[in-house]
Amino acid sequence: MRILVQKFGGTSLSTPEAREHAIKHIRRALEEQYALVVVVSAMGRRGEPYATDTLLGLIDANGGSLASRERDLLMACGETISAATLCAMLQSRGLDAIALTGAQAGIETTSEFGNARITDIRTERLLAILKEGKIAIVTGFQGAAPNGDVTTLGRGGSDTSATALGAALKAEYVDIFTDVEGVLTADPRIVGDAKPLDQVSYMEICNMANNGAKVIHPRAVEVAMEADIPVRIRSTFSDGLGTLVAGQSVLRGKGHVQDRLITGIAHSVNVSQIQVHAAEGQYDLQLRVFKTMAENGISVDLINVNPSGVAYTVYDTETERAIGLLKRLGYEPQAVKDCTKVSVIGGGMNGVPGVMAMIIEALTEEEVGILQSADSNTTIWVLVRSADTVKAVNALHRKFQLHA
Ligand code: ADP
Ligand code: MG
């Protein structure tokens, strides 16, 4: 059996017209003789009637507090509505489809409500359905805890449902259908001429997703990478093949230009920079600062430790708490709120001289101040004020000639 997993995101299912496009892709897969598992997200985005955020609004409108177990029960409804609706459209066209919840599809998870992890997928039932020639429609974003409780997988969880099902079923491909033509060289909402990439490696897309390019959830990529299942990120609204995500060896076989200098520019917003300067004799400042952050569950990023003190970033939502803790330790921390971390990503930059110089040149030309920077062998990060985000990302995109 050649199995294909297709996942349709919220905007790909939000209107009858959008669902018609999805059905076109389903029909095509059937024509290509695939046994088909279709994973669905909740329809639409915040504000639309069946979107997850809208459903959550019911809690605020009815008292405001709900235990995480019952919250998951509510959050899982959006996908259920979506699966039943798509199933109705397929059945009324004479296509043999069956809709399944995560639990019915055999998806077992931990019992961390709101952020559960998939532990196993029992594939017997799904395989039996596929053998009968039926289309299995599975609700994304959810599973069942060991005691049978409904759990949800956290933001972007439907992507992970899809790749985990693909891995368990040894699918030929997992197709992630969304509202853009694939992985682009930058977020198309802020870079008008961002270019779709034909192919990216698991590592490249993981880096982009982890740094804010949420076209696919990073966890979903990890799951696909572990099982070595190729993923195609494609548009529901076109016939394009989108971006092929696979391992280096597969891509090289397909003529992938290995290690291009820069793959793309990603950014993530809403972080604050915190700096603490060491006074005379404060030799243990570095240790005390990071120990305190860790003990209080504040996650830190862009860490810079030097003899005269430390600089690092936290999410804006944690800034006040972090500052309070540092003052209690007797320090005088300084914070710059409302910053954006811009990431220049590319497997080929390792050891290539001049990339940092180009970054500084691009930002200086646009008079964008760099608050801090850091680098690894595949990524250079610069921290800028959020007001400079659009200018900074576009300047870097231009400097590295990533446009279409
Ligand atoms: P879905 O509902 O289909 O899961 P998402 O909103 O989660 O869709 O992801 C698709 C969106 O990701 C696109 O509409 C785009 O605005 C955004 N995005 C951010 N960075 C990138 C990028 N580098 N390439 C493609 N899309 C990106
Ligand atoms: Mg998504």
Side-chain angles (χ1 to χ4, degrees):
M1 209 162 34
R2 290 167 63 221
I3 298 175
L4 179 69
V5 176
Q6 294 183 324
K7 177 252 170 178
F8 293 96
T11 44
S12 304
L13 296 167
S14 59
T15 62
E17 298 78 54
R19 292 192 287 276
E20 288 297 347
H21 284 280
I23 290 172
K24 244 194 269 170
H25 292 289
I26 290 173
R27 279 193 190 280
R28 180 152 320 149
L30 295 176
E31 279 161 27
E32 291 170 4
Q33 308 295 319
Y34 280 111
L36 193 55
V37 176
V38 178
V39 177
V40 294
S41 296
M43 295 177 192
R45 301 250 162 92
R46 185 186 289 274
E48 295 180 59
Y50 309 112
T52 306
D53 285 320
T54 310
L55 299 175
L56 280 173
L58 285 168
I59 301 176
D60 288 334
N62 290 277
S65 96
L66 184 65
S68 58
R69 180 184 174 279
E70 284 71 27
R71 206 181 144 84
D72 267 13
L73 206 54
L74 178 64
M75 282 208 287
C77 290
E79 278 72 17
T80 309
I81 294 169
S82 212
T85 307
L86 184 63
C87 204
M89 291 180 81
L90 294 175
Q91 288 177 0
S92 31
R93 285 163 176 73
L95 295 169
D96 203 357
I98 172 169
L100 302 165
T101 65
Q104 290 166 346
I107 299 177
E108 298 180 348
T109 73
T110 59
S111 45
E112 295 151 78
F113 296 110
N115 199 23
R117 282 174 85 90
I118 297 176
T119 49
D120 196 14
I121 300 186
R122 301 182 60 90
T123 53
E124 301 84 15
R125 184 166 181 193
L126 269 180
L127 285 170
I129 290 169
L130 296 181
K131 276 212 184 86
E132 287 170 32
K134 293 186 176 155
I135 305 166
I137 302 180
V138 179
T139 55
F141 178 62
Q142 54 171 270
N147 68 357
D149 281 351
V150 173
T151 53
T152 67
L153 308 178
R155 288 273 157 193
S158 292
D159 294 336
T160 310
S161 304
T163 56
L165 282 165
L169 296 166
K170 302 194 171 48
E172 203 169 295
Y173 289 104
V174 173
D175 283 350
I176 304 286
F177 284 96
T178 183
D179 59 354
V180 286
E181 287 294 336
V183 180
L184 305 174
T185 47
D187 188 336
R189 284 170 292 199
I190 69 166
V191 177
D193 56 359
K195 183 177 66 180
L197 296 163
D198 290 342
Q199 308 182 335
V200 298
S201 67
Y202 292 121
M203 293 311 295
E204 285 173 309
I205 184 66
C206 238
N207 256 338
M208 290 199 57
N210 272 319
N211 284 299
K214 289 286 160 61
V215 60
I216 183 169
H217 196 272
R219 174 80 193 129
V221 181
E222 278 170 31
V223 170
M225 181 164 66
E226 275 163 32
D228 210 11
I229 305 282
V231 175
R232 292 181 296 204
I233 300 177
R234 340 172 31 174
S235 168
T236 304
F237 306 98
S238 86
D239 295 330
L241 278 182
T243 305
L244 173 67
V245 184
Q248 283 287 4
S249 58
V250 172
L251 295 181
R252 222 172 290 140
K254 291 179 184 284
H256 177 58
V257 188
Q258 204 200 346
D259 293 343
R260 57 194 136 207
L261 182 63
I262 304 298
T263 310
I265 316 292
H267 70 283
S268 62
V269 296
N270 299 330
V271 296
S272 299
Q273 182 194 42
I274 295 180
Q275 283 183 281
V276 196
H277 295 288
E280 195 77 40
Q282 288 182 333
Y283 57 89
D284 62 350
L285 173 137
Q286 288 85 347
L287 175 64
R288 288 180 73 202
V289 167
F290 291 114
K291 230 174 139 180
T292 305
M293 294 299 116
E295 281 165 3
N296 289 278
I298 298 178
S299 82
V300 296
D301 192 23
L302 275 191
I303 299 158
N304 181 290
V305 178
N306 58 62
S308 62
V310 297
Y312 59 99
T313 60
V314 299
Y315 290 115
D316 278 339
T317 48
E318 299 280 31
T319 313
E320 296 304 333
R321 205 158 65 89
I323 294 293
L325 289 164
L326 293 169
K327 285 191 174 157
R328 225 167 298 150
L329 289 177
Y331 300 130
E332 290 171 28
Q334 292 166 313
V336 183
K337 285 188 201 167
D338 232 350
C339 298
T340 296
K341 185 176 78 166
V342 179
S343 311
V344 177
I345 294 158
M349 69 167 67
N350 195 10
V352 176
V355 177
M356 191 63 191
M358 283 172 80
I359 293 174
I360 293 173
E361 190 177 46
L363 297 179
T364 307
E365 281 163 4
E366 291 293 325
E367 294 175 4
V368 172
I370 301 174
L371 299 170
Q372 204 180 318
S373 77
D375 67 279
S376 75
N377 53 2
T378 57
T379 309
I380 296 177
W381 295 275
V382 288
L383 188 69
V384 303
R385 289 191 170 74
S386 71
D388 288 331
T389 305
V390 176
K391 247 199 311 186
V393 175
N394 277 283
L396 293 166
H397 197 262
R398 262 197 314 277
K399 181 61 80 182
F400 291 102
Q401 301 187 337
L402 299 175
H403 48 267

